[in-house]
Amino acid sequence: MKSNFIWTVLSTLVVTGCDNVNWGGVELAIVPPPQVSAAPATSGEEVEERLPAGPVLYYVANTGGVATMYPVGEISGDSLIPIQARADVRAFSQRYIGEHLRQGAEFVLYRRGSRVGTFVVQSATAPEANVCPALPSAVGALELSSGAEQISEYLAIAEQYAPEIRRRAGAALETGRNMQVLAPILAEKMIRARRAPLPGNWQRAMEQLLPIPISGTSDPGYATTFLVGDTLGRGADNEGYSLFYIGVPAQFSYDTVFVLYNNYAEAGKAAPRVVDFLDWNRDDQPEMLLQVYGINDAWFETVGRTQAGQWRRTFRARCEQGTSAMPDIPTSADTMPGDTAR
């Protein structure tokens, strides 16, 4: 009986089409739902671009007594996430400066995987027009440990994210005689396999030979760059090639675990050098920051070993317009003990 009554009420409301109905002294009201606009909530409003939410890897150049710091990428697992403004570069830069590069902000400086000092921000500026990467940079004061005063470039991470570097046991990171002898031999095999012309002078072709720590072994490995028909810096032309590879200790020799071969005639000049290494993602295996030189520009790349145990390029940030604000730091300007660079 009760259900029939409710059905009668509802039927009456529908038939009459009224908003208010009186029934036995009780007033029933139908309240229509609010109107939903078809336009999105952000219509006519600019959406703020995403700023890095985690640790950022920075590159610090110390030239002519002036220390300048540049963002490289946001650290995320095995790789870096590019930092870039997709719309308003100046607005993005001002927000980035306010969040990450405030005056007085402190960053830990690293060289060859060890902490060597602190960078304190004095001022930060947005990039100039038509400069790439279009990211802000900071000028700061260096507070360095003893023996680090002559270093020309560092890696840096904000103090609150800076990893604690454990002292590494085992052999010292020195360029041993076996590296100097075997690096060109292995390079020759790779060059012949690619049917490229061999260097006329192997010692001149080997632009960099850098010992690097390898997890799981006390003996160091190395990273090396060979150039034919080119120099390690911006300029020259699209003739020649570069060979970069990583060797890890093996019985009486080294295994090549990563190779970058760039034929300039096919893809344009790309001459890489290792800026430095650091275990910035805290997986007990240092990653490497590379600076790669083109004819008119220079850009950053990173190489590391993934959690799956594979060595690969994990980050590449080259600007399309081919202009760069990155400084050229000569490899001979900062030769730490154990380095071979000409």
Side-chain angles (χ1 to χ4, degrees):
M1 186 70 180
K2 182 177 180 181
S3 61
N4 291 336
F5 173 77
I6 295 175
W7 175 252
T8 303
V9 172
L10 294 177
S11 300
T12 303
L13 296 176
V14 172
V15 171
T16 60
C18 297
D19 292 335
N20 296 282
V21 176
N22 291 321
W23 188 273
V26 179
E27 183 175 289
L28 301 178
I30 298 177
V31 180
Q35 296 295 320
V36 178
S37 174
T42 58
S43 178
E45 300 178 1
E46 292 187 5
V47 179
E48 288 187 338
E49 297 187 82
R50 176 187 176 276
L51 291 176
V56 173
L57 179 69
Y58 292 87
Y59 169 77
V60 178
N62 183 22
T63 56
V66 178
T68 307
M69 187 170 70
Y70 305 88
V72 177
E74 181 182 359
I75 300 171
S76 177
D78 292 334
S79 61
L80 299 182
I81 300 174
I83 303 171
Q84 57 185 348
R86 300 185 182 277
D88 191 333
V89 172
R90 184 158 295 275
F92 176 85
S93 297
Q94 293 301 329
R95 290 180 56 231
Y96 189 98
I97 291 171
E99 182 71 23
H100 297 281
L101 299 177
R102 295 184 301 272
Q103 185 177 19
E106 296 187 1
F107 297 79
V108 175
L109 296 173
Y110 296 93
R111 188 63 181 169
R112 298 296 187 259
S114 299
R115 180 171 181 162
V116 296
T118 303
F119 177 96
V120 182
V121 175
Q122 294 175 328
S123 63
T125 57
E128 299 291 336
N130 301 321
V131 166
C132 188
L135 294 173
S137 60
V139 174
L142 300 180
E143 300 173 358
L144 301 173
S145 58
S146 178
E149 297 84 1
Q150 302 303 316
I151 298 175
S152 61
E153 56 186 355
Y154 312 84
L155 301 183
I157 297 177
E159 180 75 45
Q160 65 268 34
Y161 297 115
E164 291 293 333
I165 304 299
R166 294 178 295 180
R167 186 176 298 275
R168 183 177 180 272
L173 289 179
E174 297 180 351
T175 305
R177 178 61 179 167
N178 57 338
M179 290 184 189
Q180 296 174 333
V181 172
L182 293 174
I185 294 176
L186 295 176
E188 180 178 354
K189 292 182 179 180
M190 287 179 269
I191 293 172
R192 288 186 181 277
R194 289 160 176 80
R195 299 181 179 180
L198 296 175
N201 185 314
W202 282 100
Q203 291 303 314
R204 290 186 59 82
M206 188 168 61
E207 289 282 354
Q208 186 181 38
L209 180 61
L210 177 69
I212 58 174
I214 302 295
S215 64
T217 176
S218 60
D219 296 324
Y222 65 85
T224 184
T225 297
F226 288 83
L227 298 180
V228 173
D230 191 22
T231 57
L232 198 55
R234 277 183 279 206
D237 51 33
N238 287 327
E239 295 183 4
Y241 64 85
S242 66
L243 173 69
F244 171 86
Y245 77 90
I246 297 172
V248 300
Q251 189 174 17
F252 305 117
S253 185
Y254 295 89
D255 288 336
T256 56
V257 293
F258 179 83
V259 179
L260 273 179
Y261 172 76
N262 294 297
N263 185 341
Y264 297 174
E266 295 178 356
K269 172 173 175 170
R273 74 174 179 96
V274 177
V275 173
D276 206 355
F277 56 80
L278 175 67
D279 183 16
W280 58 67
N281 64 0
R282 310 185 190 201
D283 64 351
D284 292 328
Q285 173 58 56
E287 290 72 43
M288 279 170 278
L289 177 67
L290 277 59
Q291 188 173 36
V292 186
Y293 300 102
I295 295 178
N296 300 311
D297 61 338
W299 64 95
F300 287 127
E301 298 184 8
T302 61
V303 174
R305 191 169 69 179
T306 66
Q307 294 180 356
Q310 298 177 334
W311 288 82
R312 63 183 180 89
R313 180 165 54 190
T314 55
F315 175 78
R316 187 175 189 265
R318 186 178 189 183
C319 301
E320 294 181 359
Q321 59 264 44
T323 58
S324 174
M326 294 292 101
D328 282 351
I329 304 295
T331 55
S332 59
D334 174 23
T335 52
M336 298 286 286
D339 295 357
T340 296
R342 73 168 185 85

